[in-house]
Amino acid sequence: MAALTLMPFLSAFVFESARYIKEEDPVAVRELQTHEALLRTSRLRLKLLDDNRKSFKEVVDNINDLATINSGWFMGHRGILGPLKRWLQPDLGVYFIQGEVIGTTHVAFLNMGLTKEDLSASSLSLDTLGPYLRETTEDFGRYVGLLLGKLNIADNAFDSAPGEPMSPIQFRDLKSKRFYESMADRVAPGRTPVCILLTSILSQINTARAVVPSIAGRNEDAVFKIGFVSLFHAASSLRKLLDQHRENAFLHLDAVEHIGAMLDADLVRNISENRMLRNNLVHYGVGKRTAARLSPDLPLFGLVEALADGQSLEAMANDVERGLDHISDGLRSLLPQALTPQGTL
């Protein structure tokens, strides 16, 4: 479950770092070549609606296509009892930590970076998806190990002490049609893909809030970077959703006002206005002018202070934490009110 929630972050790290490594040593990234298309698609899940190569319609159509394929895997019952089994069979799993939604089966499917074309040209199924994911992430792991060796970073250089113990992952199985229709009635009547998009944004936000701190342990820099990027793109995508609504009204008026109020919070605006910091955290490239202002005596070498008008990393990390909570609370209130866990994995 952690791999599925973190896949866009992992893909972004592997993809962006490999761009630098292959200039020096192309052989080092050879194992990644077969995954290049998947890495590109999976890392775009971080951006949500910030995909400059696709229109809003193309993004939501892709979301809908993949969710339909994923649900179809659960509903493939045949024979005399097939119709009854399909009527009874849940086709959407929702996953929680401490009652907070961290993902769904549809979101996990999207996070992997698979496309409709990939699935139509392959033999992937519910039975083979797990082994496929394992083989793929093992290749990523081998690359990361090689990268650490090139950077002369020993295994014992990391403080792997855990943070707070991770709470058990809970779940609830649902009929997706009923769930999305209930949500759409309150948010975007007749627009199921918009509802899937909003659950995806919520899942990414809550992964940064609840999953990353437990896995990262005392690595506060990692918690900050993933939290910042998640909040930045969540806010940007929600703004683009409102922009699309202004062109072709499809959101419920209450939802428009609610999302607008979420985005008007000062701490969310503070993060959204720091695109240069976002670019450095995602792409790792630091310009000469910024580099001249860095200091080895500051956390992250003073990158935040250099790009955020002198605001300290500690102050911005506090804004990120409160901003993630704010967006999470706002999006959670758009979900069906009865959405609570029914069991523990």
Side-chain angles (χ1 to χ4, degrees):
M1 182 54 61
L4 289 170
T5 60
L6 292 167
M7 194 65 169
F9 305 105
L10 173 62
S11 296
F13 170 73
V14 170
F15 182 86
E16 296 292 345
S17 61
R19 290 174 58 197
Y20 290 92
I21 297 301
K22 71 180 179 183
E23 294 179 4
E24 175 190 338
D25 184 1
V27 176
V29 299
R30 186 167 50 195
E31 287 190 353
L32 299 178
Q33 291 177 354
T34 57
H35 305 300
E36 185 172 356
L38 181 141
L39 282 167
R40 287 180 179 274
T41 306
S42 177
R43 69 185 275 276
L44 286 175
R45 295 300 306 153
L46 280 179
K47 295 186 175 184
L48 300 166
L49 288 182
D50 288 333
D51 186 349
N52 296 329
R53 298 182 181 181
K54 291 184 178 180
S55 67
F56 174 79
K57 184 179 185 303
E58 288 173 325
V59 172
V60 295
D61 283 350
N62 178 64
I63 287 174
N64 191 57
D65 288 343
L66 290 177
T68 299
I69 292 171
N70 189 228
S71 288
W73 284 0
F74 291 93
M75 305 295 286
H77 302 294
R78 301 184 182 276
I80 296 175
L81 296 178
L84 176 61
K85 291 179 179 178
R86 287 193 293 272
W87 182 70
L88 295 173
Q89 173 72 57
D91 63 313
L92 176 68
V94 183
Y95 302 101
F96 308 79
I97 284 182
Q98 295 182 338
E100 301 284 359
V101 175
I102 60 166
T104 72
T105 47
H106 289 167
V107 170
F109 205 52
L110 291 165
N111 284 352
M112 287 183 64
L114 297 169
T115 66
K116 182 180 178 180
E117 292 71 27
D118 292 334
L119 294 168
S120 62
S122 70
S123 58
L124 281 179
S125 65
L126 272 179
D127 294 330
T128 61
L129 190 62
Y132 170 81
L133 177 62
R134 176 167 182 157
E135 291 174 6
T136 301
T137 51
E138 283 179 347
D139 284 347
F140 295 174
R142 280 190 285 271
Y143 161 75
V144 172
L146 183 148
L147 176 62
L148 297 181
K150 281 186 166 295
L151 296 175
N152 295 317
I153 299 175
D155 290 342
N156 61 7
F158 293 98
D159 179 3
S160 58
E164 295 295 325
M166 182 175 288
S167 300
I169 295 179
Q170 301 166 298
F171 73 93
R172 182 173 188 141
D173 292 334
L174 301 164
K175 298 285 287 185
S176 63
K177 184 174 185 295
R178 189 179 306 161
F179 170 76
Y180 291 131
E181 285 179 350
S182 175
M183 186 175 176
D185 287 343
R186 307 176 65 238
V187 178
R191 298 293 189 106
T192 290
V194 172
C195 298
I196 302 175
L197 170 68
L198 290 173
T199 59
S200 180
I201 296 175
L202 175 62
S203 299
Q204 184 166 305
I205 287 288
N206 283 340
T207 294
R209 294 173 66 226
V211 178
V212 172
S214 293
I215 293 176
R218 297 191 182 123
N219 190 339
E220 295 180 357
D221 289 349
V223 175
F224 167 74
K225 287 189 282 187
I226 290 177
F228 180 96
V229 173
S230 297
L231 181 56
F232 181 94
H233 282 296
S236 178
S237 295
L238 289 172
R239 285 195 180 88
K240 291 190 175 182
L241 182 65
L242 293 183
D243 290 342
Q244 289 296 319
H245 168 77
R246 293 186 186 100
E247 295 180 11
N248 180 23
F250 56 88
L251 294 173
H252 196 288
L253 180 59
D254 288 345
V256 172
E257 294 177 350
H258 185 75
I259 294 173
M262 290 163 53
L263 296 174
D264 281 341
D266 289 341
L267 50 88
V268 175
R269 288 181 177 275
N270 179 35
I271 303 305
S272 299
E273 291 170 357
N274 279 283
R275 177 168 288 276
M276 283 298 296
L277 179 57
R278 174 267 173 201
N279 291 346
N280 278 258
L281 293 178
V282 171
H283 300 299
Y284 308 127
V286 178
K288 292 182 179 179
R289 182 177 298 179
T290 301
R293 301 171 61 189
L294 300 183
S295 168
D297 299 324
L298 293 172
L300 278 181
F301 290 88
L303 185 64
V304 172
E305 289 79 0
L307 294 173
D309 295 326
Q311 184 177 9
S312 69
L313 172 60
E314 182 179 2
M316 180 160 283
N318 184 54
D319 278 354
V320 167
E321 183 177 354
R322 293 190 297 130
L324 290 171
D325 291 344
H326 176 70
I327 297 295
S328 175
D329 291 343
L331 290 176
R332 179 61 186 264
S333 67
L334 296 176
L335 300 180
Q337 296 302 311
L339 187 62
T340 55
Q342 288 187 327
T344 301
L345 291 181

